[in-house]
Amino acid sequence: MARPDESLIRDADLLAVVADARAKGTAGPFLDPLIRVQIAEQQKRDAAAQAAQTQAATVAALPREKRRRAIVREVFENSPPSFADVRHIHSVLAICGMPYDRLPTQERTFRRTQGNMAVNIQAGSLTDPKGNEVDQPLPFGPKARLILMHLCSEAVRQKSPTIEIADSFTGFVRDMGFSDSGGKKGPMTAFREQLSALAACSIKMSVWDGQRAKSKQFFPISSFDLWLPGHVDQQMLWPSTVTFSPDMYDSLQRHALPINARAVKAFAGSARKLDLYFWLGWRIHNINDPLKISWAALKDQFGAGFTRDRDFRTQLALEIGHLKEVFPKLPLTLTEQGLNLSPAGPEVLALPVPRRIKKP
């Protein structure tokens, strides 16, 4: 039998196995089988590396949003849920979200209902460092949702209602897959606009049962330090710290909904997909039996901007398909009647099982 070609072995650990055998006096017919084993392992590694390169090239060629979903799904498939990836958002805001798109300046109030509860958001104003009162728009779109997640997560992590913005915000924007460029159309400028809108707005939460109704109105952010950056391309109001109101912070401590930061990044370009993800996390966590939700209820929740039911159903099916790309075990189906959702553990949404506190 021909001698194995030892030059086919390149990896240092495989070469070390052969060298170690020689150092111990192994030679000839006893050494050749060992060399063949190392060659086979090298070929196996080379094939795996080539497959990984091919997969990476395939993913890199995908459109941005699909690429993000593919990358996150691969992470979820190959590693268990991690507490390091857990973030939080207030569950009521996860149920009843904000506008999807910018509303006309004259529209100062937005209302969204879900079942027997509703959220009303009122646009506000900020006083700038020169004493001028500046009207802020209603917060809207994916960036406002990402900011709320960031603020809620930092309040939970730091165990404080006051969050330093200047030190953490740029890194957060980058982590979500956006550049930190400023300028009139830069992502950071859009994030700053939404942060200012959130700092100025007030929220009213309402629930009812047919006989009684209860409402609570508050400013989610009770105070903030505001400054005007000196750079020409950053001339806009910019909070350096924000402090949640006592009502908001106390409520957040009781109703913080865990979410996965990697999943949020996968859907960071779409307000509706973020709302779907947040809402499904809350729904799955709060049911013990299968749940059926009608198309009418789904449209009330997610149908802003659609006039035809057919168009809404088509778009919702597409976006739920995108969620299933990331969470293939998501226990839901769409039917002619609406959405069927089954109870499931946190792992279907890539969340770790909560740690149990050991009793003394």
Side-chain angles (χ1 to χ4, degrees):
M1 180 181 294
R3 294 293 306 278
D5 184 358
E6 195 172 334
S7 68
L8 296 174
I9 306 174
R10 297 184 313 282
D11 290 0
D13 59 326
L14 302 182
L15 291 169
V17 171
V18 177
D20 184 61
R22 281 203 175 96
K24 293 177 179 178
T26 306
F30 299 102
L31 182 62
D32 288 354
L34 178 66
I35 293 175
R36 290 190 179 94
V37 170
Q38 306 315 305
I39 292 173
E41 176 61 24
Q42 182 71 68
Q43 291 172 338
K44 179 180 177 182
R45 293 182 182 183
D46 291 348
Q50 181 60 47
Q53 289 179 2
T54 301
Q55 175 65 16
T58 301
V59 170
L62 295 172
R64 185 185 67 176
E65 300 301 320
K66 190 171 182 64
R67 181 171 66 250
R68 285 180 175 178
R69 297 194 297 271
I71 292 171
V72 172
R73 175 170 176 168
E74 184 176 1
V75 171
F76 290 165
E77 287 178 341
N78 295 301
S79 58
S82 169
F83 282 100
D85 291 331
V86 174
R87 300 293 184 271
H88 294 88
I89 192 166
H90 196 295
S91 59
V92 172
L93 297 176
I95 301 166
C96 301
M98 295 173 285
Y100 290 139
D101 301 302
R102 182 187 294 273
L103 297 176
T105 304
Q106 62 271 23
E107 290 192 31
R108 309 297 291 168
T109 302
F110 173 80
R111 175 182 173 87
R112 175 165 289 172
T113 61
Q114 170 61 27
N116 67 331
M117 64 182 69
V119 167
N120 286 60
I121 303 175
Q122 178 74 42
S125 63
L126 298 177
T127 303
D128 73 14
K130 297 180 181 179
N132 301 310
E133 198 70 11
V134 182
D135 283 343
Q136 301 299 310
L138 284 160
F140 70 91
K143 293 178 176 64
R145 289 157 170 81
L146 295 174
I147 291 169
L148 267 179
M149 179 205 71
H150 176 63
L151 296 180
C152 289
S153 299
E154 287 299 296
V156 170
R157 183 181 68 84
Q158 298 179 26
K159 299 180 180 179
S160 169
T162 298
I163 302 101
E164 295 283 344
I165 296 298
D167 294 337
S168 64
F169 199 73
T170 300
F172 151 71
V173 170
R174 290 174 181 157
D175 288 344
M176 290 294 103
F178 297 90
S179 77
D180 59 357
S181 60
K184 186 175 181 180
K185 295 183 178 181
M188 185 59 76
T189 301
F191 273 104
R192 286 172 174 159
E193 178 190 62
Q194 293 306 310
L195 178 56
S196 295
L198 286 165
C201 77
S202 63
I203 294 177
K204 181 173 71 174
M205 299 181 180
S206 304
V207 294
W208 56 89
D209 62 9
Q211 295 182 333
R212 299 179 59 190
K214 182 178 180 181
S215 296
K216 187 175 186 64
Q217 187 164 0
F218 60 92
F219 287 88
I221 295 173
S222 63
S223 65
F224 38 87
D225 294 329
L226 205 61
W227 61 290
L228 194 65
H231 294 95
V232 174
D233 66 346
Q234 297 178 346
Q235 286 289 317
M236 62 181 301
L237 300 176
W238 178 232
S240 57
T241 65
V242 299
T243 301
F244 280 141
S245 67
D247 284 341
M248 178 69 176
Y249 183 64
D250 291 345
S251 181
L252 177 63
Q253 290 180 299
R254 297 192 305 273
H255 303 290
L257 178 73
I259 51 182
N260 188 299
R262 293 182 185 272
V264 171
K265 183 176 179 178
F267 308 126
S270 168
R272 197 182 336 266
K273 289 175 196 173
L274 287 172
D275 277 2
L276 278 166
Y277 170 49
F278 299 154
W279 176 78
L280 283 169
W282 177 81
R283 279 291 191 182
I284 289 174
H285 180 72
N286 284 281
I287 60 173
N288 296 314
D289 300 299
L291 177 69
K292 295 183 178 181
I293 303 168
S294 69
W295 278 110
L298 291 170
K299 190 174 182 185
D300 284 344
Q301 178 75 8
F302 304 109
F306 289 94
T307 55
R308 297 198 307 174
D309 289 349
R310 183 177 63 184
D311 293 340
F312 167 67
R313 293 188 183 196
T314 300
Q315 184 64 25
L316 189 70
L318 176 66
E319 294 178 340
I320 284 180
H322 292 166
L323 264 69
K324 283 195 161 187
E325 288 180 26
V326 176
F327 305 114
K329 296 182 180 179
L330 200 59
L332 67 80
T333 56
L334 287 175
T335 70
E336 287 297 318
Q337 288 70 44
L339 183 147
N340 295 338
L341 183 65
S342 298
E347 67 280 355
V348 302
L349 290 173
L351 292 170
V353 177
R355 298 187 180 104
R356 292 183 179 179
I357 299 176
K358 295 182 179 180
K359 295 182 180 180

